[in-house]
Every structure is written in structure tokens, then in C-alpha cells.
Amino acid sequence: MQALRRPYFWHAIYTKSRAEKRLYKELCSKNIECYLPLKKELRQWSDRTKWVEEPLIRSYLFVKVSEREYYNVINSAYAVRYVTFGGKAVPIPEHQIQALRIFLDDENRKVDLSHENLEKGELVEIMGGPFKGIKGEIMQIKGKNRIVIRFDSLGTCVYTDISLDMIKQVQPVA
């Protein structure tokens, strides 16, 4: 008899304050696939300046789990709860996690985070450079053209500067 294969979905976990890296380490040690988006920041202390890696989205960690691992994750000492709507954990599409990884893999590009309730713009695809093939929404923010990947389930948008000649308009999927 063939074993039943359970589907795996990405979900966002709300962590205890400043415990993102500890939860990531714990879940990795349990062989649970997880992703902690980090950004490098230059920090200034009174005696030195140092580059540090900080979570891009404070108090959030992404996990890819089946129903079986779902409760193992939340039983961690550093996890608070899943990000939910209507009492149910919201799955995050694989392509959004992959796009976030690609954005953050380019160390020469400054990536910011916005919690503004941004209006939907035109759907575009990047035609060249390290982001080639990434789709997102184009927006006008503080006078600069930026490409946006919207994470509706978190109420968050990731955006970065990009030239308009590097994008083409695409039709929304019906």
C-alpha cells in the first residue's frame, strides 16, 4: 500500500520578540523547512561600526509544513502563533517566497519594507538583471519607481528601486 503524501504549504509564524533567529535554529534542527529573510544593516556604537544581519520582517518566520508538522512548529518555546485570517492559517504561495529570496540574494540592492496599505498597481515582470522573471506590482512611492511584491497574508509589501526600462506590463491571471 502506498503511503499518503501530505501537501506542504508555506505559512508565516509570529515569533516572540527578538526570537526569530532562535526559532529558525530550533526548527532547522527538527528538519522543518523554514525561511528567515535577513537584511544587512550598518550599526553604529560609541566605539565601533559593524555590519549586522537583522530580520527583514520583525517577529516573523516562514515555515513550509504539512498538517503533520503544523502543530510541532507552534509548540516551540519561541513561536507565538500562525498568522491567521478568520481563525485559519493563511498559506503563502511558493512564488512569493522565491521572489523574496531573489530580492534578498542581491547584496548590492537596498531592500526596504512597508506596512502601508498600498493600492494595487499594474502587474509587471522584470526583463533583465538578477530579478529577471520576477512579477510584482509597480507603484510610485516617494517619487521613485519601485517594484513591489505584495504579501497580502501579512499585510506587508517588499519593494526595491528598479528602472522602468527593465520591466514589461503583463496581464493579470484571471
Side-chain angles (χ1 to χ4, degrees), residues 86-123:
K88 191 169 174 124
V90 179
I92 299 170
E94 179 82 30
H95 73 273
Q96 287 185 342
I97 298 295
Q98 293 306 320
L100 183 56
R101 288 181 198 259
I102 291 169
F103 261 59
L104 292 174
D105 282 347
D106 184 359
E107 293 181 5
N108 297 322
R109 184 171 300 273
K110 181 175 175 16
V111 176
D112 294 312
L113 189 68
S114 170
H115 291 285
E116 298 175 39
N117 187 12
L118 302 171
E119 295 298 317
K120 290 186 177 184
E122 295 179 39
L123 186 62

Side-chain angles (χ1 to χ4, degrees), residues 102 106 109 126-134 162 165-167:
I102 291 169
D106 184 359
R109 184 171 300 273
I126 301 174
M127 301 309 299
F131 303 124
K132 183 176 180 176
I134 298 294
I162 192 159
D165 62 352
M166 295 285 286
I167 61 174

Side-chain angles (χ1 to χ4, degrees), residues 23-34 69 71-78:
L23 179 58
Y24 176 80
K25 195 178 217 180
E26 180 183 332
L27 295 178
C28 285
S29 72
K30 294 179 178 179
N31 294 319
I32 293 175
E33 186 176 356
C34 49
E69 292 115 347
Y71 293 104
N72 289 343
V73 170
I74 206 63
N75 288 330
S76 166
Y78 304 111

